Amino acid sequence: MVTGAAGLEPVPLRMAYDAAHGGRWTSLHGGGREWLWRGPEAGRHEVRPDDAFVDAGGLEECLPTVRGRPDHGEVWSRPWRAAGVGTAAIERPTFTLIRRITNSDGVVVTDYRLSADPGHRFVWAAHALLDLSPTARLDAPAGTPTRLYPEAADLLPPGTWPAGSPFLTGTWPAPAGLTLDTLGPDDGTALGAVLLDCPRVQVTDGADRLTLELECDDQPRSTALWRNLRGWPATTPYRSIGVEPMLGAAFDLADAGPSDAAVVPSAGEVAWRLTLSAHRLHGGRPR
């Protein structure tokens, strides 16, 4: 195996998914490490359309919204049909989504194609919940415009949050002075943020690196962060970290401004690619 930049060695990844239950990714593993977190909530396999979201972990496909109605979108709660090797599809009244997953030398490549009427607006996110240690961090370009959402208001000095605003924009890694790139230890907080025009991020956890990269022409590309350090839910809080490549720039399609959602062009299709790769410091061990 060839050692790369800064003594990093590639770690081949493999993934598994469950087409019958929303196309959910159930595993992303390599080098003795499982990257996807598994949640405490039971009943994921019994979900029916329009049921409340069940936080089972893994990676959920969120479309045409993340927050809002329906919560986490329409496709996570419905079965997908097989459409070829590594390929699954789901049809809804206003769109059809086809997803093809391939593995190229241990790099997981996922190609999406959404068909809908021209002008159709949507938000998509690969809602990946990751199993990370308290020393993990999220690396993104410094200065990236970053939207905080209202659950962060109580963590800011009084009077910081603009009255009636759905979000507050600052710069990564500390929008409004709130440091976000550290992903632990647990402190009883939970917040969401969206890094705008940020199609590539890297998660660093000990010797391991996971890189997530989103490619799509002529559409807004972001990365959403859900940093729940045992701050949610209020009754039985647990730890869950979401690093979510996104088409769009808002969690809720209903709140998306003119340039905050993906829009189907005159051709009637939008195609995008998500690439996941892993590396490890030479001589490092999985945690």
Tab-separated table of all heavy atoms in Angstrom, residues 63-116:
chain	number	residue	atom	x	y	z
A	63	LEU	N	-35.359	13.751	1.235
A	63	LEU	CA	-35.821	14.392	0.006
A	63	LEU	C	-37.346	14.478	0.067
A	63	LEU	O	-37.978	13.486	0.464
A	63	LEU	CB	-35.388	13.548	-1.197
A	63	LEU	CG	-35.796	14.014	-2.594
A	63	LEU	CD1	-34.936	15.186	-3.025
A	63	LEU	CD2	-35.672	12.886	-3.616
A	64	PRO	N	-37.976	15.594	-0.225
A	64	PRO	CA	-37.467	16.856	-0.764
A	64	PRO	C	-37.166	17.910	0.300
A	64	PRO	O	-37.038	19.091	-0.015
A	64	PRO	CB	-38.633	17.317	-1.635
A	64	PRO	CG	-39.843	16.863	-0.863
A	64	PRO	CD	-39.455	15.543	-0.237
A	65	THR	N	-37.055	17.484	1.565
A	65	THR	CA	-36.705	18.396	2.643
A	65	THR	C	-36.006	17.591	3.712
A	65	THR	O	-35.979	16.351	3.671
A	65	THR	CB	-37.958	19.102	3.198
A	65	THR	OG1	-37.571	20.176	4.068
A	65	THR	CG2	-38.879	18.142	3.943
A	66	VAL	N	-35.401	18.283	4.674
A	66	VAL	CA	-34.798	17.619	5.829
A	66	VAL	C	-35.689	17.862	7.041
A	66	VAL	O	-36.359	16.959	7.528
A	66	VAL	CB	-33.357	18.100	6.070
A	66	VAL	CG1	-32.716	17.345	7.241
A	66	VAL	CG2	-32.515	17.923	4.809
A	67	ARG	N	-35.738	19.083	7.497
A	67	ARG	CA	-36.735	19.449	8.504
A	67	ARG	C	-38.034	19.828	7.790
A	67	ARG	O	-38.101	19.864	6.566
A	67	ARG	CB	-36.231	20.600	9.355
A	67	ARG	CG	-34.966	20.272	10.139
A	67	ARG	CD	-34.534	21.417	11.034
A	67	ARG	NE	-33.297	21.097	11.736
A	67	ARG	CZ	-32.698	21.901	12.607
A	67	ARG	NH1	-33.219	23.084	12.877
A	67	ARG	NH2	-31.579	21.521	13.208
A	68	GLY	N	-39.054	20.107	8.570
A	68	GLY	CA	-40.316	20.522	7.962
A	68	GLY	C	-41.249	19.343	7.772
A	68	GLY	O	-41.207	18.372	8.532
A	69	ARG	N	-42.079	19.433	6.761
A	69	ARG	CA	-43.084	18.391	6.511
A	69	ARG	C	-42.898	17.794	5.126
A	69	ARG	O	-42.838	18.548	4.152
A	69	ARG	CB	-44.495	18.987	6.646
A	69	ARG	CG	-44.819	19.471	8.055
A	69	ARG	CD	-46.247	19.958	8.129
A	69	ARG	NE	-46.586	20.412	9.477
A	69	ARG	CZ	-47.776	20.899	9.805
A	69	ARG	NH1	-48.734	20.969	8.884
A	69	ARG	NH2	-48.005	21.288	11.045
A	70	PRO	N	-42.864	16.447	5.060
A	70	PRO	CA	-42.726	15.522	6.205
A	70	PRO	C	-41.322	15.550	6.777
A	70	PRO	O	-40.359	15.776	6.032
A	70	PRO	CB	-43.058	14.159	5.592
A	70	PRO	CG	-42.698	14.305	4.156
A	70	PRO	CD	-42.962	15.739	3.777
A	71	ASP	N	-41.207	15.334	8.080
A	71	ASP	CA	-39.914	15.393	8.743
A	71	ASP	C	-38.952	14.386	8.120
A	71	ASP	O	-39.278	13.214	7.956
A	71	ASP	CB	-40.101	15.094	10.232
A	71	ASP	CG	-38.834	15.317	11.037
A	71	ASP	OD1	-37.925	16.020	10.535
A	71	ASP	OD2	-38.741	14.803	12.159
A	72	HIS	N	-37.771	14.868	7.718
A	72	HIS	CA	-36.750	14.086	7.023
A	72	HIS	C	-37.188	13.651	5.628
A	72	HIS	O	-36.567	12.785	5.018
A	72	HIS	CB	-36.297	12.881	7.850
A	72	HIS	CG	-35.472	13.267	9.044
A	72	HIS	ND1	-36.013	13.864	10.151
A	72	HIS	CD2	-34.141	13.150	9.299
A	72	HIS	CE1	-35.069	14.109	11.050
A	72	HIS	NE2	-33.917	13.699	10.551
A	73	GLY	N	-38.242	14.261	5.100
A	73	GLY	CA	-38.626	14.035	3.712
A	73	GLY	C	-39.570	12.869	3.505
A	73	GLY	O	-40.075	12.247	4.439
A	74	GLU	N	-39.798	12.559	2.223
A	74	GLU	CA	-40.782	11.554	1.825
A	74	GLU	C	-40.199	10.170	1.592
A	74	GLU	O	-40.942	9.174	1.636
A	74	GLU	CB	-41.479	11.995	0.525
A	74	GLU	CG	-42.265	13.274	0.605
A	74	GLU	CD	-42.907	13.614	-0.729
A	74	GLU	OE1	-43.001	12.725	-1.594
A	74	GLU	OE2	-43.304	14.780	-0.905
A	75	VAL	N	-38.915	10.056	1.307
A	75	VAL	CA	-38.415	8.779	0.786
A	75	VAL	C	-37.864	7.838	1.853
A	75	VAL	O	-37.748	6.638	1.605
A	75	VAL	CB	-37.355	9.012	-0.315
A	75	VAL	CG1	-37.938	9.856	-1.438
A	75	VAL	CG2	-36.099	9.652	0.230
A	76	TRP	N	-37.516	8.360	3.035
A	76	TRP	CA	-36.923	7.508	4.071
A	76	TRP	C	-37.928	6.494	4.621
A	76	TRP	O	-37.529	5.431	5.127
A	76	TRP	CB	-36.373	8.349	5.224
A	76	TRP	CG	-37.454	8.927	6.100
A	76	TRP	CD1	-38.091	10.127	5.920
A	76	TRP	CD2	-38.041	8.329	7.255
A	76	TRP	NE1	-39.044	10.308	6.899
A	76	TRP	CE2	-39.028	9.220	7.729
A	76	TRP	CE3	-37.846	7.131	7.931
A	76	TRP	CZ2	-39.807	8.956	8.853
A	76	TRP	CZ3	-38.625	6.858	9.064
A	76	TRP	CH2	-39.585	7.763	9.511
A	77	SER	N	-39.217	6.793	4.538
A	77	SER	CA	-40.237	5.942	5.151
A	77	SER	C	-40.929	5.019	4.154
A	77	SER	O	-41.907	4.354	4.509
A	77	SER	CB	-41.297	6.823	5.829
A	77	SER	OG	-41.929	7.675	4.877
A	78	ARG	N	-40.422	4.964	2.924
A	78	ARG	CA	-41.062	4.168	1.874
A	78	ARG	C	-40.063	3.174	1.278
A	78	ARG	O	-38.873	3.465	1.180
A	78	ARG	CB	-41.604	5.079	0.768
A	78	ARG	CG	-42.782	5.920	1.214
A	78	ARG	CD	-43.189	6.912	0.132
A	78	ARG	NE	-44.506	7.457	0.393
A	78	ARG	CZ	-44.740	8.502	1.192
A	78	ARG	NH1	-43.720	9.113	1.777
A	78	ARG	NH2	-45.967	8.930	1.397
A	79	PRO	N	-40.553	2.015	0.837
A	79	PRO	CA	-39.644	1.062	0.191
A	79	PRO	C	-39.183	1.559	-1.162
A	79	PRO	O	-39.932	2.200	-1.896
A	79	PRO	CB	-40.500	-0.205	0.066
A	79	PRO	CG	-41.911	0.270	0.087
A	79	PRO	CD	-41.924	1.489	0.973
A	80	TRP	N	-37.926	1.264	-1.490
A	80	TRP	CA	-37.374	1.519	-2.813
A	80	TRP	C	-37.393	0.200	-3.578
A	80	TRP	O	-37.374	-0.878	-2.987
A	80	TRP	CB	-35.933	2.011	-2.699
A	80	TRP	CG	-35.746	3.342	-2.025
A	80	TRP	CD1	-36.397	3.807	-0.927
A	80	TRP	CD2	-34.809	4.350	-2.383
A	80	TRP	NE1	-35.936	5.049	-0.574
A	80	TRP	CE2	-34.957	5.407	-1.449
A	80	TRP	CE3	-33.854	4.463	-3.386
A	80	TRP	CZ2	-34.183	6.557	-1.512
A	80	TRP	CZ3	-33.076	5.607	-3.444
A	80	TRP	CH2	-33.251	6.648	-2.517
A	81	ARG	N	-37.404	0.277	-4.895
A	81	ARG	CA	-37.378	-0.934	-5.706
A	81	ARG	C	-35.996	-1.120	-6.311
A	81	ARG	O	-35.297	-0.152	-6.627
A	81	ARG	CB	-38.436	-0.872	-6.822
A	81	ARG	CG	-38.229	0.242	-7.825
A	81	ARG	CD	-39.213	0.144	-8.984
A	81	ARG	NE	-39.086	1.276	-9.894
A	81	ARG	CZ	-38.179	1.342	-10.870
A	81	ARG	NH1	-37.341	0.339	-11.065
A	81	ARG	NH2	-38.135	2.407	-11.662
A	82	ALA	N	-35.615	-2.380	-6.468
A	82	ALA	CA	-34.349	-2.683	-7.126
A	82	ALA	C	-34.440	-2.324	-8.599
A	82	ALA	O	-35.459	-2.573	-9.248
A	82	ALA	CB	-34.022	-4.157	-6.969
A	83	ALA	N	-33.355	-1.734	-9.129
A	83	ALA	CA	-33.336	-1.311	-10.531
A	83	ALA	C	-32.022	-1.689	-11.202
A	83	ALA	O	-31.580	-1.015	-12.129
A	83	ALA	CB	-33.575	0.196	-10.621
A	84	GLY	N	-31.407	-2.782	-10.735
A	84	GLY	CA	-30.133	-3.216	-11.283
A	84	GLY	C	-29.131	-3.415	-10.168
A	84	GLY	O	-29.412	-3.155	-8.991
A	85	VAL	N	-27.930	-3.862	-10.528
A	85	VAL	CA	-26.894	-4.104	-9.534
A	85	VAL	C	-26.505	-2.800	-8.840
A	85	VAL	O	-26.117	-1.827	-9.498
A	85	VAL	CB	-25.653	-4.736	-10.197
A	85	VAL	CG1	-24.542	-4.927	-9.177
A	85	VAL	CG2	-26.016	-6.059	-10.842
A	86	GLY	N	-26.642	-2.773	-7.512
A	86	GLY	CA	-26.296	-1.579	-6.753
A	86	GLY	C	-27.195	-0.400	-6.999
A	86	GLY	O	-26.887	0.722	-6.571
A	87	THR	N	-28.325	-0.613	-7.661
A	87	THR	CA	-29.202	0.488	-8.068
A	87	THR	C	-30.578	0.312	-7.451
A	87	THR	O	-31.138	-0.789	-7.439
A	87	THR	CB	-29.325	0.550	-9.594
A	87	THR	OG1	-28.012	0.658	-10.159
A	87	THR	CG2	-30.150	1.735	-10.039
A	88	ALA	N	-31.131	1.411	-6.939
A	88	ALA	CA	-32.467	1.414	-6.367
A	88	ALA	C	-33.173	2.682	-6.811
A	88	ALA	O	-32.542	3.692	-7.140
A	88	ALA	CB	-32.411	1.332	-4.844
A	89	ALA	N	-34.506	2.620	-6.821
A	89	ALA	CA	-35.293	3.761	-7.285
A	89	ALA	C	-36.541	3.908	-6.425
A	89	ALA	O	-37.019	2.946	-5.818
A	89	ALA	CB	-35.678	3.573	-8.754
A	90	ILE	N	-37.054	5.123	-6.402
A	90	ILE	CA	-38.312	5.392	-5.727
A	90	ILE	C	-39.088	6.417	-6.537
A	90	ILE	O	-38.514	7.409	-7.019
A	90	ILE	CB	-38.106	5.857	-4.268
A	90	ILE	CG1	-39.464	6.049	-3.570
A	90	ILE	CG2	-37.237	7.108	-4.191
A	90	ILE	CD1	-39.349	6.197	-2.065
A	91	GLU	N	-40.377	6.161	-6.698
A	91	GLU	CA	-41.238	7.074	-7.442
A	91	GLU	C	-42.218	7.744	-6.485
A	91	GLU	O	-42.820	7.072	-5.634
A	91	GLU	CB	-42.030	6.333	-8.530
A	91	GLU	CG	-41.184	5.833	-9.681
A	91	GLU	CD	-40.618	4.436	-9.450
A	91	GLU	OE1	-41.057	3.756	-8.494
A	91	GLU	OE2	-39.729	4.024	-10.226
A	92	ARG	N	-42.355	9.039	-6.630
A	92	ARG	CA	-43.347	9.811	-5.888
A	92	ARG	C	-44.173	10.594	-6.909
A	92	ARG	O	-43.785	10.710	-8.083
A	92	ARG	CB	-42.654	10.758	-4.898
A	92	ARG	CG	-41.768	10.062	-3.874
A	92	ARG	CD	-42.582	9.155	-2.940
A	92	ARG	NE	-43.617	9.895	-2.255
A	92	ARG	CZ	-44.895	9.517	-2.166
A	92	ARG	NH1	-45.291	8.390	-2.769
A	92	ARG	NH2	-45.775	10.241	-1.521
A	93	PRO	N	-45.297	11.156	-6.500
A	93	PRO	CA	-46.141	11.850	-7.480
A	93	PRO	C	-45.437	12.974	-8.225
A	93	PRO	O	-45.746	13.234	-9.398
A	93	PRO	CB	-47.294	12.377	-6.614
A	93	PRO	CG	-47.396	11.409	-5.487
A	93	PRO	CD	-45.978	11.019	-5.185
A	94	THR	N	-44.471	13.648	-7.571
A	94	THR	CA	-43.840	14.808	-8.199
A	94	THR	C	-42.406	14.568	-8.652
A	94	THR	O	-41.809	15.449	-9.273
A	94	THR	CB	-43.858	16.019	-7.250
A	94	THR	OG1	-43.184	15.677	-6.030
A	94	THR	CG2	-45.300	16.440	-6.947
A	95	PHE	N	-41.820	13.396	-8.350
A	95	PHE	CA	-40.437	13.147	-8.768
A	95	PHE	C	-40.149	11.656	-8.747
A	95	PHE	O	-40.849	10.857	-8.103
A	95	PHE	CB	-39.438	13.878	-7.865
A	95	PHE	CG	-39.444	13.441	-6.422
A	95	PHE	CD1	-38.730	12.320	-6.007
A	95	PHE	CD2	-40.162	14.153	-5.470
A	95	PHE	CE1	-38.733	11.906	-4.694
A	95	PHE	CE2	-40.177	13.745	-4.143
A	95	PHE	CZ	-39.457	12.630	-3.753
A	96	THR	N	-39.087	11.282	-9.460
A	96	THR	CA	-38.512	9.936	-9.401
A	96	THR	C	-37.030	10.080	-9.102
A	96	THR	O	-36.341	10.892	-9.721
A	96	THR	CB	-38.702	9.180	-10.722
A	96	THR	OG1	-40.097	8.986	-10.964
A	96	THR	CG2	-38.011	7.834	-10.689
A	97	LEU	N	-36.536	9.280	-8.148
A	97	LEU	CA	-35.122	9.308	-7.791
A	97	LEU	C	-34.525	7.929	-8.039
A	97	LEU	O	-35.069	6.921	-7.602
A	97	LEU	CB	-34.944	9.683	-6.320
A	97	LEU	CG	-33.488	9.707	-5.813
A	97	LEU	CD1	-32.709	10.835	-6.482
A	97	LEU	CD2	-33.443	9.842	-4.289
A	98	ILE	N	-33.398	7.906	-8.767
A	98	ILE	CA	-32.642	6.681	-9.000
A	98	ILE	C	-31.250	6.857	-8.389
A	98	ILE	O	-30.606	7.896	-8.589
A	98	ILE	CB	-32.528	6.367	-10.497
A	98	ILE	CG1	-33.920	6.161	-11.107
A	98	ILE	CG2	-31.665	5.130	-10.729
A	98	ILE	CD1	-33.903	5.976	-12.610
A	99	ARG	N	-30.808	5.850	-7.645
A	99	ARG	CA	-29.505	5.891	-6.973
A	99	ARG	C	-28.688	4.656	-7.348
A	99	ARG	O	-29.178	3.532	-7.234
A	99	ARG	CB	-29.710	5.931	-5.461
A	99	ARG	CG	-28.436	6.035	-4.647
A	99	ARG	CD	-28.710	5.868	-3.166
A	99	ARG	NE	-29.045	4.481	-2.831
A	99	ARG	CZ	-29.499	4.085	-1.635
A	99	ARG	NH1	-29.705	4.979	-0.678
A	99	ARG	NH2	-29.752	2.815	-1.397
A	100	ARG	N	-27.459	4.879	-7.789
A	100	ARG	CA	-26.568	3.767	-8.144
A	100	ARG	C	-25.284	3.896	-7.336
A	100	ARG	O	-24.610	4.938	-7.364
A	100	ARG	CB	-26.248	3.785	-9.639
A	100	ARG	CG	-25.309	2.663	-10.088
A	100	ARG	CD	-25.185	2.640	-11.613
A	100	ARG	NE	-24.329	1.547	-12.076
A	100	ARG	CZ	-23.054	1.693	-12.390
A	100	ARG	NH1	-22.475	2.896	-12.306
A	100	ARG	NH2	-22.351	0.655	-12.807
A	101	ILE	N	-24.943	2.832	-6.612
A	101	ILE	CA	-23.763	2.825	-5.752
A	101	ILE	C	-22.735	1.864	-6.319
A	101	ILE	O	-23.038	0.696	-6.591
A	101	ILE	CB	-24.132	2.435	-4.311
A	101	ILE	CG1	-25.166	3.414	-3.745
A	101	ILE	CG2	-22.891	2.421	-3.425
A	101	ILE	CD1	-25.676	3.043	-2.364
A	102	THR	N	-21.513	2.360	-6.513
A	102	THR	CA	-20.418	1.532	-6.997
A	102	THR	C	-19.231	1.694	-6.056
A	102	THR	O	-19.187	2.600	-5.217
A	102	THR	CB	-20.000	1.918	-8.426
A	102	THR	OG1	-19.672	3.324	-8.459
A	102	THR	CG2	-21.126	1.655	-9.411
A	103	ASN	N	-18.267	0.774	-6.206
A	103	ASN	CA	-17.069	0.815	-5.387
A	103	ASN	C	-15.868	0.786	-6.313
A	103	ASN	O	-15.679	-0.168	-7.073
A	103	ASN	CB	-17.039	-0.369	-4.418
A	103	ASN	CG	-15.999	-0.193	-3.334
A	103	ASN	OD1	-14.810	-0.114	-3.614
A	103	ASN	ND2	-16.441	-0.137	-2.085
A	104	SER	N	-15.075	1.844	-6.276
A	104	SER	CA	-13.906	1.956	-7.137
A	104	SER	C	-12.646	1.945	-6.280
A	104	SER	O	-12.306	2.964	-5.653
A	104	SER	CB	-13.980	3.242	-7.966
A	104	SER	OG	-12.825	3.412	-8.760
A	105	ASP	N	-11.993	0.791	-6.189
A	105	ASP	CA	-10.766	0.653	-5.402
A	105	ASP	C	-10.973	1.106	-3.962
A	105	ASP	O	-10.113	1.770	-3.376
A	105	ASP	CB	-9.617	1.435	-6.040
A	105	ASP	CG	-9.223	0.871	-7.398
A	105	ASP	OD1	-9.312	-0.362	-7.567
A	105	ASP	OD2	-8.845	1.661	-8.277
A	106	GLY	N	-12.123	0.751	-3.387
A	106	GLY	CA	-12.383	1.068	-1.995
A	106	GLY	C	-12.979	2.437	-1.754
A	106	GLY	O	-13.217	2.812	-0.595
A	107	VAL	N	-13.247	3.196	-2.804
A	107	VAL	CA	-13.936	4.491	-2.689
A	107	VAL	C	-15.400	4.267	-3.068
A	107	VAL	O	-15.691	3.730	-4.142
A	107	VAL	CB	-13.287	5.542	-3.607
A	107	VAL	CG1	-14.077	6.841	-3.580
A	107	VAL	CG2	-11.832	5.779	-3.179
A	108	VAL	N	-16.310	4.671	-2.191
A	108	VAL	CA	-17.739	4.488	-2.441
A	108	VAL	C	-18.259	5.683	-3.229
A	108	VAL	O	-18.158	6.830	-2.779
A	108	VAL	CB	-18.512	4.328	-1.122
A	108	VAL	CG1	-20.015	4.246	-1.389
A	108	VAL	CG2	-18.044	3.080	-0.380
A	109	VAL	N	-18.785	5.402	-4.415
A	109	VAL	CA	-19.286	6.441	-5.319
A	109	VAL	C	-20.783	6.212	-5.517
A	109	VAL	O	-21.205	5.126	-5.920
A	109	VAL	CB	-18.554	6.396	-6.676
A	109	VAL	CG1	-19.122	7.463	-7.618
A	109	VAL	CG2	-17.064	6.597	-6.483
A	110	THR	N	-21.569	7.244	-5.235
A	110	THR	CA	-23.014	7.145	-5.348
A	110	THR	C	-23.511	8.187	-6.338
A	110	THR	O	-23.305	9.394	-6.137
A	110	THR	CB	-23.684	7.368	-3.981
A	110	THR	OG1	-23.090	6.502	-3.019
A	110	THR	CG2	-25.171	7.086	-4.053
A	111	ASP	N	-24.145	7.708	-7.403
A	111	ASP	CA	-24.697	8.591	-8.433
A	111	ASP	C	-26.212	8.646	-8.299
A	111	ASP	O	-26.885	7.608	-8.214
A	111	ASP	CB	-24.307	8.093	-9.818
A	111	ASP	CG	-22.832	8.307	-10.118
A	111	ASP	OD1	-22.396	9.464	-10.076
A	111	ASP	OD2	-22.125	7.305	-10.356
A	112	TYR	N	-26.735	9.867	-8.301
A	112	TYR	CA	-28.164	10.114	-8.167
A	112	TYR	C	-28.687	10.785	-9.435
A	112	TYR	O	-27.985	11.593	-10.061
A	112	TYR	CB	-28.452	11.048	-6.996
A	112	TYR	CG	-28.071	10.529	-5.628
A	112	TYR	CD1	-26.761	10.655	-5.154
A	112	TYR	CD2	-29.015	9.942	-4.794
A	112	TYR	CE1	-26.411	10.203	-3.890
A	112	TYR	CE2	-28.678	9.493	-3.532
A	112	TYR	CZ	-27.381	9.625	-3.072
A	112	TYR	OH	-27.033	9.184	-1.822
A	113	ARG	N	-29.930	10.482	-9.762
A	113	ARG	CA	-30.609	11.177	-10.852
A	113	ARG	C	-32.065	11.387	-10.457
A	113	ARG	O	-32.794	10.419	-10.203
A	113	ARG	CB	-30.511	10.398	-12.156
A	113	ARG	CG	-31.056	11.172	-13.362
A	113	ARG	CD	-30.769	10.436	-14.666
A	113	ARG	NE	-29.335	10.284	-14.878
A	113	ARG	CZ	-28.568	11.206	-15.456
A	113	ARG	NH1	-29.096	12.347	-15.873
A	113	ARG	NH2	-27.281	10.980	-15.634
A	114	LEU	N	-32.465	12.637	-10.385
A	114	LEU	CA	-33.838	12.987	-10.044
A	114	LEU	C	-34.545	13.534	-11.267
A	114	LEU	O	-34.024	14.445	-11.933
A	114	LEU	CB	-33.875	14.023	-8.919
A	114	LEU	CG	-35.263	14.431	-8.439
A	114	LEU	CD1	-35.307	14.528	-6.908
A	114	LEU	CD2	-35.708	15.763	-9.039
A	115	SER	N	-35.712	12.973	-11.579
A	115	SER	CA	-36.532	13.432	-12.700
A	115	SER	C	-37.797	14.073	-12.159
A	115	SER	O	-38.461	13.505	-11.274
A	115	SER	CB	-36.895	12.256	-13.614
A	115	SER	OG	-35.736	11.613	-14.105
A	116	ALA	N	-38.121	15.239	-12.688
A	116	ALA	CA	-39.314	15.965	-12.249
A	116	ALA	C	-39.617	17.051	-13.266
A	116	ALA	O	-38.829	17.319	-14.182
A	116	ALA	CB	-39.097	16.580	-10.862
